[in-house]
Amino acid sequence: MIVPKLSFSNPFNQYDNGVIPGWQYGGEATLANDYISLTPAAPNKVGWVWSDEPVSMAAWEVQLEFHIGGQANRGAGGGMAFWFSAQQGRTGPIYGHEDNYEGLGVFFDTYEGDESEETEPFVVAMMNYGTAIGGESESPNYYNNQVGVCFAAYRNLPHLVRARIVWAEQRLQLWLDLDNSGHYQSCVQTKPGDDRLKVPESGYFGVTGSTGSFGDSHVVYSF
């Protein structure tokens, strides 16, 4: 069952005056006919799209269609995040969202080695419970919040990428379609009853993106 006001898709000219029913977008986010651009491929940009109202669901599944890319001959340029959070759209340092969120964040980022050409995209699922993610010290330990991670070559592909994110029966599952074929590969699979996962009973859906000293474009086609 697709919930209309919790979904959007292209062509975006179907939405009058650029207003997506049930959603709001801002920062550097701009609406084109085929996609929402969260950030342009420029340094130090932040963009976001969030559901208007909190929802209460015992289980949900999201399919997110997106593209992340930038210059191939340099390091990565920021990252993108999917959210189901008790708070909506508070701007901060975690891909454009605050670091003391309460809920689930799924982050699409790129590991960079000693050489700028050594890059490897990854996906990591992080739970947080209202305190600064990784702790209050000068050297945050993000592993305490990590519930699953995988490496996947989704950056700079010539087509869109699909992610399926499922929360059901106290279990988080995530799959990726990297070749635009409709066939998904497993990325994150938590065990049923994992006590690290305390997804809020009520929350907002969101997608945010940010860039740093380099800038990737972060584009969403549908949610």
Side-chain angles (χ1 to χ4, degrees):
M1 180 184 69
I2 296 176
V3 184
K5 284 197 173 184
L6 290 178
S7 304
F8 57 78
S9 64
N10 58 22
F12 287 101
N13 63 8
Q14 66 184 293
Y15 303 121
D16 293 337
N17 301 315
V19 177
I20 306 174
W23 295 83
Q24 53 187 270
Y25 58 94
E28 299 290 335
T30 57
L31 206 63
N33 188 45
D34 294 329
Y35 55 82
I36 295 177
S37 170
L38 297 176
T39 70
N44 303 314
K45 302 295 184 181
V46 172
W48 47 265
V49 55
W50 283 94
S51 59
D52 277 335
E53 301 292 338
V55 295
S56 297
M57 293 183 176
W60 44 261
E61 174 178 339
V62 168
Q63 177 173 284
L64 181 67
E65 295 183 323
F66 65 93
H67 182 270
I68 297 174
Q71 294 182 25
N73 60 350
R74 58 140 172 86
M80 189 182 77
F82 159 88
W83 303 95
F84 186 75
S85 172
Q87 303 84 21
Q88 180 212 49
R90 297 178 181 175
T91 303
I94 308 297
Y95 310 99
H97 192 30
E98 65 176 8
D99 61 352
N100 59 340
Y101 66 93
E102 183 180 358
L104 169 67
V106 177
F107 306 150
F108 298 83
D109 205 338
T110 300
Y111 168 79
E112 296 187 54
D114 294 333
E115 301 295 332
S116 62
E117 294 82 7
E118 297 175 358
T119 60
E120 190 169 8
F122 67 91
V123 183
V124 60
M126 293 270 201
M127 290 299 306
N128 202 30
Y129 306 107
T131 58
I133 188 170
E136 301 286 352
S137 71
E138 294 182 359
S139 301
N141 182 1
Y142 297 110
Y143 291 106
N144 291 338
N145 300 79
Q146 180 177 304
V147 296
V149 64
C150 78
F151 286 89
Y154 57 77
R155 185 171 176 259
N156 280 336
L157 293 177
H159 49 259
L160 60 81
V161 177
R162 296 183 182 90
R164 287 180 58 207
I165 305 165
V166 179
W167 170 249
E169 299 178 346
Q170 301 299 304
R171 184 183 185 193
L172 177 68
Q173 301 177 83
L174 190 154
W175 295 269
L176 297 172
D177 173 9
L178 297 176
D179 55 11
N180 198 27
S181 67
H183 295 92
Y184 288 81
Q185 65 185 51
S186 178
C187 176
V188 171
Q189 303 284 330
T190 66
K191 295 180 179 179
D194 188 330
D195 59 10
R196 299 174 300 167
L197 287 135
K198 298 180 178 65
V199 175
E201 294 182 2
S202 176
Y204 298 84
F205 289 107
V207 188
T208 65
S210 67
T211 63
S213 55
F214 297 123
D216 276 355
S217 61
H218 300 91
V219 171
V220 177
Y221 292 88
S222 69
F223 184 105

